[in-house]
Each structure stands twice: as C-alpha cells, then as structure tokens.
Amino acid sequence: MTTSAVPAPRTQVTRKDVARFAGVSTAVVSYVVNKGPKRVAPATEAKVQEAIRLLGYRPNAAARALKLGSTETIGLIIPDNSNPFFSSLARAVEDAAAELGYALLLTNSDGNLAKERRNLRNLAARQVDGVVLSSVLFEPDLAELEFDDIPAVLLDHDADTPGFNSVGVDRVTAAKSAVEHLIGHGHTNIALAMGINTGNFMDGREQGWLQALTEAGLPEGPIVRSFFTRDGGYTAGQRLLASANRPTAIFASSDMQAIGVLRALREAGLSVPEDMALASFDGSAEAEYSWPALTTVEQPAQAMAEAAVAALIGARRGEKPEHRTFPTQLRVRNSCGCH
C-alpha cells in the first residue's frame, strides 16, 4: 500500500492528517501518542511515528489535559537556581518527574515571600498537577493551591508540618556533626555564619551549632547573619575577622556562604585551615572544587527529589501526608584541617 503525499503546510497538523498519511485509524494514532491503552503492532507504530516526524505533528496539550484531567505538569519553587545546591535539586526533581511522564515548571522566589506567593498563584492558575515548594517559611500559606485542590510537597524541610507532605534532613543533627568535627580539631572558639530566613525562626543549623558547643562545654562563639550567597558569606567573613572575639574556626550554613568566607580570608592574608578552619552545609559540587576543598554536610538531593515527586503522585491518589527525613553525610575534605 502506498502512503499518501505529504500534505501542504498548514497552520496545524491534526491527528486525522497523521492517520491518513500512515494509513491507519485516528484511534491507532492516539494509542501510539499516548502509549496506550491498547497495544499497537511494532510495524504499525513505526509507520505512525514516521508520519508524525514527517508531518511535524504535535499533540494538542490543552485537549489532552482536558481528556485526562491532568496537565501532566509539576511546578517547582526554589529560592535560587543559581545556587549549585538548588540547581542540582531542581535537576533531580525534573528527572524524577520526567520518569513518570511529567514536565516541570521551574520558578525562583529569590528567598522573597512576595515572590513565593506570586509564583504559587501563577502555578495554580496554570492548573499544574502539584507543586514542590522549598519555602522561605516554616509553615507557608498554600491557600491558592488548596482552593484548586492542587497537592503540594515541602522540599528541603527539616520538620514535620501537620497536614503537609514534606521532605528534608535533620538539620540540627547534621550541623552538630560538622561543628563536633571542628571541635575535634581542638577549636574552642567556633563562629557561625548564619543565613537570614524570612520567617525569623531559629534554623536547625543554628540549633545544631549551639548544641555541639554546649555539650562540649564551650562558650557560644560569635554569630554573623547574612544572605545564603557568596556575597553574604564574604560579608560575614569580613565581619568575623573584624570581631574583637575573632574565632579560629567558622561553620557556614551554606556552601555558597563558605565560598564567600574563603575569599574574605584570602584577602586578609589568612590560610585555610592553618589560620582558620572552615566547614559548611549543603554538599554542592562547588564545595568539592573550591580551594581548599570544603568539609561540608551533604544533603541527598536525588533521594529527596524522588521522594517529593512520589509524594505528589501519592497525594493525587488520596494517600495521607507524611514527613520523610533523609540521612546526611559529613564529607571531610581539607578546609577543616584534615588531609
């Protein structure tokens, strides 16, 4: 059987055009495009796929969403995708979503509550099937999503929030392990470069730092609060060096802050770890390739992302919300004094 000629270019190629060109029914084209519900013989599927390629057919996403009751899209809100940790987290969420046939809409809040709420409104208006949110608040306002019955998962969240699915690590225990490691090197004056959070709540990383010092019988070291950025860390490093109670070691609440601290120390003519030891939190790739390489608490980005996407799908099926805590790992490198 000979196939019909390629139709002249038109505004939109339809499923009927593909069916006519491949010599099959429109139902068969639908089975191929949607990968079911009925199986299609390999030879027939090959003809349909060739017709789709030659004609440049693109399924109507709006019509498909209406038929399935799903846009097959997940929204993701993170503070800053230029931060290597959040960049890797976003990539892991995208990969996990794609494995289940979902596309990803990525937005940034810049750590700003107004932008976070605007992003939530925009995603709700697009009727996404769920939202993965790394919020600036411990208990974010998700009324926009709840009104449209859109499930949400709190990502990079360190405690159970009743009524919500959440995924994260025990920041208190994780930070404590890093500070205890610095104490093990003989440091008794350990500072904290702490990121600023919008909700003004005590971050688990600060709690872990304080617990480690208290249990070791050490005084509370100096604290400088700045943004979770390289520039924020740079400013924190300068202020700690100018402090009357200059520390001998610093725990930074993010790798990006630690990178900024490194610059401040270098500019002051200090060596790491000889003059000042340093440890951080996140476990981004940048921590491994800084100089010296950073001792850091590594969060399992891939496992957290996969759990977040799975929780969204589970919520759509009516499964009860839960909090999942993942273990961290202290990656010991050179900045703390280890070789």
Side-chain angles (χ1 to χ4, degrees), residues 13-308:
V13 176
T14 68
R15 189 170 55 180
K16 287 183 179 179
D17 294 326
V18 175
R20 189 179 303 113
F21 187 79
V24 299
S25 68
T26 55
V28 169
V29 176
S30 179
Y31 299 152
V32 172
V33 170
N34 297 318
K35 302 187 186 304
K38 293 185 178 180
R39 296 184 64 182
V40 177
T44 304
E45 181 176 356
K47 283 199 301 182
V48 173
Q49 294 288 11
E50 178 68 2
I52 289 172
R53 186 185 68 81
L54 289 172
L55 299 178
Y57 172 66
R58 295 291 181 271
N60 186 317
R64 177 178 168 82
L66 198 61
K67 181 179 179 181
L68 297 177
S70 164
T71 59
E72 297 181 308
T73 305
I74 289 174
L76 173 63
I77 304 174
I78 55 176
D80 180 10
N81 72 340
S82 67
N83 180 315
F85 170 70
F86 284 111
S87 178
S88 65
L89 198 58
R91 176 60 184 269
V93 171
E94 181 181 16
D95 290 344
E99 281 291 316
L100 298 175
Y102 289 81
L104 186 74
L105 281 177
L106 170 64
T107 64
N108 288 273
S109 68
D110 295 326
N112 180 287
L113 181 57
K115 287 185 178 180
E116 179 179 303
R117 287 174 173 164
R118 184 186 66 199
N119 289 338
L120 284 169
R121 287 195 300 271
N122 287 340
L123 292 173
R126 284 163 175 75
Q127 288 293 296
V128 295
D129 292 312
V131 173
V132 178
L133 168 64
S134 180
S135 180
V136 299
L137 296 177
F138 181 71
E139 294 187 7
D141 179 7
L142 301 178
E144 294 283 350
L145 302 182
E146 291 170 349
F147 180 80
D148 290 306
D149 201 24
I150 298 172
V153 175
L154 304 179
L155 181 61
D156 195 26
H157 202 68
D158 63 353
D160 187 13
T161 302
F164 293 102
N165 274 303
S166 53
V167 174
V169 301
D170 183 347
R171 288 178 180 166
V172 176
T173 301
K176 184 179 174 184
S177 70
V179 178
E180 286 175 339
H181 186 79
L182 292 173
I183 293 171
H185 278 283
H187 295 284
T188 57
N189 186 4
I190 302 172
L192 173 65
M194 185 66 229
I196 298 171
N197 61 60
T198 302
N200 204 29
F201 54 87
M202 191 172 186
D203 191 285
R205 285 162 286 197
E206 183 173 342
Q207 291 176 289
W209 166 78
L210 194 55
Q211 279 188 21
L213 297 178
T214 300
E215 291 178 14
L218 296 175
E220 184 177 322
I223 304 177
V224 172
R225 303 183 191 281
S226 61
F227 293 109
F228 286 100
T229 61
R230 298 176 185 86
D231 189 57
Y234 177 63
T235 300
Q238 290 178 317
R239 289 173 60 186
L240 287 170
L241 288 176
S243 170
N245 180 27
R246 180 190 279 196
T248 62
I250 300 171
F251 173 59
S253 61
S254 75
D255 290 344
M256 293 302 93
Q257 288 175 299
I259 296 295
V261 170
L262 279 176
R263 177 183 170 184
L265 296 175
R266 290 292 185 189
E267 288 183 353
L270 299 180
S271 296
V272 178
E274 291 80 7
D275 300 317
M276 184 81 71
L278 182 61
S280 59
F281 193 97
D282 275 341
S284 66
E286 194 156 338
E288 185 176 0
Y289 289 95
S290 65
W291 188 257
L294 289 171
T295 290
T296 182
V297 176
E298 182 178 273
Q299 299 193 75
Q302 176 128 7
M304 289 163 59
E306 290 173 355

